[in-house]
Structure formats: structure tokens, C-alpha cells
Amino acid sequence: MGLLYESTRGGETGVTASEAILKGLASDGGLFVPETIPCLDVTVEELAGMTYQETAYAVMKQFLTDFTEEELKYCISHAYDEKFDTEEIAPLVRAGGVYFLELFHGKTIAFKDMALSILPYLMTTAAKKNDVKNEIVILTATSGDTGKAAMAGFADVPGTRIIVFYPKDGVSRVQELQMLTQKGANTCVVGIHGNFDDAQTGVKKIFGDREFAKEIDQMGFQLSSANSINIGRLVPQIVYYVYAYAKLYANGEIEKGEKVNVTVPTGNFGNILAAYFAKQMGIPFDKLICASNDNKVLYDFFTTGTYDKNREFILTTSPSMDILVSSNLERLLYLSCGRSAEKTRGMMEALSGTGKYEITEDMKNFMADFRAGYAGMEENAAMIRKLYEDTGYLIDTHTGVAAAVCAAYREASGDAAKTIIASTASPYKFSRSVVEAVCGKQDTDDEFELIDKLEKLSGVPIPQAIEEIREAKILHNRQCRPEEMKETVKSTFSK
């Protein structure tokens, strides 16, 4: 038998990779994890000579064992093609004494493209493998980037529909325009009058509603997710960490076996969890530095051992990280308590009931690889400005959080290990915040005036993804309250 998956809450075991990808979320509300984390079967010397696509196959074949070599290579070759504007797919740039892993060269200029370019291919292949006759409805909550990247991936894919919920006043204008102008007869975008946690909680409730699942099954539909709760999102993210380490070695930046730190800006915990999985596969990462913004629930968790979402929700200049319920942390909790579904379920019930839970000393020790820090909006802006003034290199506001946290960690700890920073979005996606970080407050309300100014500052041409929305027509205008989400989903099935 190949590698199988189980739910973090114990309700499902022995699930194949293709079944887990199709389901998205387990029927008991848990997240799918592999029964064991596999090891790479290639050396760093071999990885150093591989293209991104070859690295993707070396990693993903270990997790998606019920996909044939032909199926997996087909998915990879169609995902990582000319839609990325660099041949490397995920280039490394050295600036300010660290290595920025640029994950924003895809169609929607954010790191979500790295996984969401391949997920539609994995999903449709999985549907064929499992003889699925229903139309697959991708239901997703977004804090700004997943929604556009998912819609771009699934637009007009036969046998699928996609419904995206986003916080109406909680994303950048560019993020919102990217979603609202998305073409595709099977796409639907809905602005929530609430924050991302409201959208994410609403989506999870819909997935957990068995009566609703039966009802839509009779209508010929079934739900799946493009959020990072889907293992088909998480596995492709492991690839770029393996690739980055191999490139450092290939370029002579590190010795064989040299340990490297990784700093990741994260709210939902998926992106840094992928780095953790890469380490478990055999990549010599040392510290995994979890960078939070003002919504520092993860920083507080790693510092105190208590996860507590009972706090003010702050809208920041790094909106994709404005999250108080970090869904992917459940996977790490499950592993850290010895894969006890009972303990994991108890913590998730406590989070749902009281808004908080505590972990044991043993679980804290299990998480010793992780470090945490946070950067407020002023520190973030100061780091963007300093890096630009020192090197001419411009980063976005999420990467700014990571860079500030990384610098603070290095100074406090004296840890001089070489460091990869996950650079998660193009500065163009957050043009106002980036321009204001460098040049001070801007008087104009014209987003595209700021984008033109950013081009002059950075010397980097405006990406096609931005030019496309400059004159694009608004195609989506639906809005709802969180309690209306299920009815909103239902109403799309009559289309």
C-alpha cells in the first residue's frame, strides 16, 4: 500500500491522497495528515541539478502515492509552465544579508500561485481516479490572495465551480480588484461583512453540515476546498523549500549538510508548516521562525503555550495575515501530542467553545524547532524602507513582517545561520503601503498612480496581473453577512 492519510480528529483513517484532495476537509471537521511523513529518496547533490518541475516530482511522489508517474508529471508540467514569469519558478535573491525566496512570479503575483496552479490538475485527476460523477464545488475563504489564485486556477475547468468568500473591508484594493474582475462562467466571489475568521468559520461550518452535503449531493454537487486545509495545497508548498535549499547548495552558498534557518510570514500557519514538513523529509533546516503581524496570536502561542483568539482583530498593512484562528496549526498539534485524535479534538472543541486552549510541556518540547516573533506596522514599514535604502530591493508588507522579525531574532539570539525568508507577494499587490513605507504618506486615492510610482521606485516593470485590472470590468458584486453564507452558496447551484 502507498502512503495513506488520517483525520486529526480520528473520524477517518486509511484515506488515499486523491480521496483526501477531493474531500478537502475530513467529515469529522479534522484535517488530513499523512500516516507518516516520508523521506526524500534523492541526495542534495541530485536535487542541486534539478529543475523546479523535477524537484516537484521528487517531493510530491512521496506524498501522492496513488497518482501514477504519468499523472503526476502531467499535473506538474501543466502547472509550472510559462504562466510563471521566471524560468526558476521560485528564484532566490540575496539582499540585506539574507536570501529572499520569491514566491510571487505566478499569474496572480502571490505565493498562493505556487500550490493553486497545480491543485486544479490534482483535483480533476483525483475525480477521474475515484469515478466522481458530481460537479465539484470549490468553497474557499480568503484573506486576500487564495481567492484570486484559486479562481485563476479553476476558472472554466470542466466539472468544477468555485465560490470565494472574502472580508469586504479587509483586503487591499488590488487584491479586491483582482477577485472582482475574475472571468470564468464557473466563478463566484462574495464579500463578507466581517473579517477573515468569520469567512473561514462559515466555510468550515458548511463543510461540517452533513444534511447540506446530502442535499447538494442529490442536486449533483459535492464540496471541496482550495484553502490550505486541503492536503493538495500543503504538499506543493513543501516543494519550494526543498528547491531553495538545493539552490543554495548548487550556487555554493552553503556546504553540504549546513543548517539553514527559514523565516515565514504567516497567519493560517500553512506556509511555515510546509517548511516543517520539508525538514522532516530530510532538508537540513534548523530554526523555523514564525513571523506574525499585530494579530500576534501565533507569537503568543509559541511564547506561552496558550492559544487564545479572544482579542481585538486588527486590520493591518499585511492583510493576508490578519487572522486569529490559524487552521493549519491543528496539524502540528496532532503530531505534537503523539497523533492523539482525542487530545486534538479536545483542543479544537475548547477553541470553539472558549476561544482558547493550552498545550503540555511535552508538546512545547516537540515544537522546539519553532521560534516566533512579531512586527507591528511601524516596524514593518521601517524594515521595508531600510532594505530599500540599503540595497535598492523592494519587498511587500508581508515579507516586511518576516524581514523585521528575522532581524530582531538574529540580534537577540546571536544566531548567524544563513536564512531564507519566504517572500510571499509582489510589492505591487500592496502598492499604497509599500510606497508610503518608503516615501511617507500619499495624498492620492488613485491606486494606479501609486502603482506607477512604485514602478519608478523599484525599477521592476508592472506585472501583467496588475495591468490586467487597470481597466478591467467589475464582474462580481455579491455581498452577505456571515450567517447568510450557506444560503448564498445554495443560491449559486441554480445558475
Side-chain angles (χ1 to χ4, degrees):
M1 286 294 289
L3 185 65
L4 296 173
Y5 290 78
E6 59 197 17
S7 168
T8 52
R9 301 187 194 178
E12 292 192 66
T13 57
V15 177
T16 65
S18 62
E19 288 170 339
I21 288 168
L22 280 172
K23 284 171 176 276
L25 196 67
S27 56
D28 59 0
L31 278 58
F32 287 113
V33 293
E35 289 181 346
T36 59
I37 298 176
C39 292
L40 286 163
D41 63 357
V42 286
T43 65
V44 72
E45 289 92 346
E46 289 170 311
L47 285 166
M50 289 184 183
T51 63
Y52 192 87
Q53 293 84 348
E54 289 165 342
T55 307
Y57 180 69
V59 172
M60 293 172 70
K61 72 176 183 179
Q62 300 291 343
F63 286 94
L64 310 181
T65 56
D66 66 327
F67 285 72
T68 66
E69 180 177 350
E70 183 183 10
E71 287 169 339
L72 200 45
K73 286 185 173 176
Y74 173 87
C75 293
I76 290 165
S77 66
H78 284 74
Y80 304 113
D81 57 10
E82 65 280 352
K83 72 172 72 71
F84 286 84
D85 63 18
T86 58
E87 192 180 335
E88 306 101 303
I89 307 295
L92 276 167
V93 174
R94 192 166 196 269
V98 295
Y99 299 89
F100 289 90
L101 176 60
E102 293 188 344
L103 301 172
F104 52 78
H105 289 279
K107 209 169 177 180
T108 75
I109 59 174
F111 83 101
K112 306 297 174 75
D113 287 323
M114 303 299 294
L116 284 165
S117 293
I118 195 168
L119 185 61
Y121 294 100
L122 295 176
M123 188 87 67
T124 50
T125 302
K128 285 178 196 162
K129 294 176 82 64
N130 290 276
D131 201 27
V132 170
K133 297 291 188 284
N134 283 344
E135 192 167 332
I136 297 168
V137 180
I138 308 298
L139 183 60
T140 288
T142 185
S143 55
D145 290 333
T146 288
K148 171 61 181 179
M151 284 191 292
F154 282 95
D156 293 322
V157 171
T160 70
R161 297 187 188 196
I162 178 162
I163 305 166
V164 171
F165 290 97
Y166 77 97
K168 181 72 187 77
D169 299 314
V171 299
S172 79
R173 184 58 180 158
V174 167
Q175 285 177 310
E176 184 170 49
L177 284 172
Q178 282 189 304
M179 288 187 279
L180 299 185
T181 58
Q182 175 64 51
K183 295 176 182 175
N186 65 338
T187 64
C188 175
V189 188
V190 185
I192 286 281
H193 295 291
N195 58 42
F196 170 73
D197 288 329
D198 296 323
Q200 182 169 250
T201 300
V203 164
K204 283 186 170 180
K205 277 183 185 170
I206 294 169
F207 271 108
D209 189 332
R210 295 194 182 189
E211 288 306 311
F212 186 61
K214 283 181 195 169
E215 188 180 343
I216 64 169
D217 178 61
Q218 289 167 357
M219 297 165 69
F221 300 102
Q222 69 185 61
L223 296 177
S224 190
S225 175
N227 278 94
S228 53
I229 55 174
N230 192 318
I231 199 71
R233 267 281 305 276
L234 187 61
V235 169
Q237 290 180 271
I238 301 167
V239 175
Y240 47 74
Y241 291 111
V242 174
Y243 180 77
Y245 186 89
K247 285 302 144 203
L248 286 180
Y249 178 71
N251 296 339
E253 302 280 353
I254 55 173
E255 303 293 325
K256 183 179 178 181
E258 183 177 344
K259 290 197 169 184
V260 170
N261 292 341
V262 182
T263 306
V264 185
T266 187
N268 223 7
F269 204 71
N271 203 8
I272 196 165
L273 185 68
Y276 174 78
F277 272 52
K279 178 171 181 171
Q280 298 309 302
M281 291 189 85
I283 297 300
F285 289 148
D286 191 15
K287 299 295 181 288
L288 305 173
I289 303 162
C290 178
S292 297
N293 65 14
D294 295 277
N295 294 291
K296 57 187 181 70
V297 66
L298 284 168
Y299 167 77
D300 290 341
F301 168 71
F302 282 111
T303 306
T304 68
T306 298
Y307 193 101
D308 188 351
K309 70 169 187 173
N310 301 309
R311 62 185 70 205
E312 180 191 359
F313 185 96
I314 302 168
L315 291 173
T316 74
T317 51
S318 47
S320 298
M321 296 161 67
D322 290 347
I323 295 170
L324 294 180
V325 180
S326 305
S327 284
N328 267 286
L329 188 59
E330 182 171 341
R331 287 186 166 111
L332 184 65
L333 293 173
Y334 179 68
L335 297 175
S336 71
C337 66
R339 293 179 178 260
S340 168
E342 185 183 356
K343 287 179 183 173
T344 307
R345 194 167 55 249
M347 286 182 281
M348 293 302 98
E349 285 169 358
L351 183 65
S352 178
T354 67
K356 62 182 181 178
Y357 59 81
E358 274 186 64
I359 61 171
T360 64
E361 283 302 317
D362 285 346
M363 292 170 74
K364 281 186 200 172
N365 293 335
F366 184 94
M367 299 177 190
D369 291 346
F370 290 90
R371 294 292 182 274
Y374 75 96
M377 287 185 269
E378 286 185 16
E379 295 162 280
N380 184 1
M383 175 52 72
I384 293 169
R385 184 169 59 253
K386 183 179 188 313
L387 188 66
Y388 176 71
E389 289 172 350
D390 290 352
T391 69
Y393 186 62
L394 260 183
I395 55 176
D396 88 293
T397 46
H398 301 74
T399 310
V401 168
V405 166
C406 178
Y409 166 76
R410 288 178 125 189
E411 187 175 347
S413 66
D415 185 347
K418 294 186 176 78
T419 300
I420 295 167
I421 291 179
S423 186
T424 53
S426 163
Y428 282 102
K429 206 143 190 175
F430 307 94
S431 50
R432 175 174 296 280
S433 298
V434 173
V435 169
E436 290 187 343
V438 175
C439 303
K441 188 75 176 162
Q442 300 294 298
D443 293 330
T444 181
D445 288 330
D446 186 340
E447 193 75 29
F448 291 97
E449 190 180 320
L450 295 169
I451 284 165
D452 292 334
K453 187 165 185 173
L454 191 55
E455 184 178 36
K456 290 190 181 76
L457 279 173
S458 67
V460 175
I462 297 170
Q464 185 61 30
I466 298 294
E467 291 292 8
E468 282 174 1
I469 62 170
R470 199 184 281 264
E471 304 294 337
K473 184 182 173 186
I474 300 288
L475 301 174
H476 305 272
N477 54 21
R478 297 185 72 167
Q479 298 178 29
C480 76
R481 296 192 302 274
E483 62 270 22
E484 297 169 332
M485 287 173 65
K486 188 163 83 169
E487 286 308 310
T488 302
V489 169
K490 214 167 165 181
S491 70
T492 66
F493 295 148
S494 57
K495 288 188 173 184

